[in-house]
Amino acid sequence: MEREEEVRDTVTIEDENGVEREYMIEALFDMENDAYALLRDGEETILMRIEDEEDEQYLVGIDDPEEKNSILDAYQIAVEAAPAE
């Protein structure tokens, strides 16, 4: 039986050097009154905070490695506690 690959939403991110890369959205989740996006492009996985400004949403990088690790650890615990089927 042939397995169809799951189609995921994508987003294009421009880095500080103006280079654009397309990422697949792996997960969207809320934690401690903030919303986050876990994005993957095949080579790397990144975590970004989703911020609302007026009627727009923006992805903002998380520079603090301690904050990033804390969020990813909590996300991993939540996934392990309630795995998707």
Side-chain angles (χ1 to χ4, degrees), residues 19-36:
V19 177
E20 291 184 351
R21 291 174 68 177
E22 189 169 317
Y23 289 87
M24 292 181 290
I25 300 172
E26 288 294 312
L28 299 171
F29 59 96
D30 295 325
M31 190 170 301
E32 296 183 7
N33 299 320
D34 285 317
Y36 296 94

Side-chain angles (χ1 to χ4, degrees), residues 26-27 29 31 38 70-80:
E26 288 294 312
F29 59 96
M31 190 170 301
L38 194 59
S70 174
I71 293 164
L72 289 173
D73 288 346
Y75 174 74
Q76 184 64 36
I77 290 167
V79 168
E80 289 172 359

Side-chain angles (χ1 to χ4, degrees), residues 44-62:
E44 70 174 333
T45 300
I46 61 173
L47 176 68
M48 300 191 84
R49 182 180 300 110
I50 302 169
E51 294 189 359
D52 294 317
E53 187 174 304
E54 297 178 12
D55 292 335
E56 301 282 330
Q57 288 187 325
Y58 298 92
L59 293 172
V60 178
I62 301 170

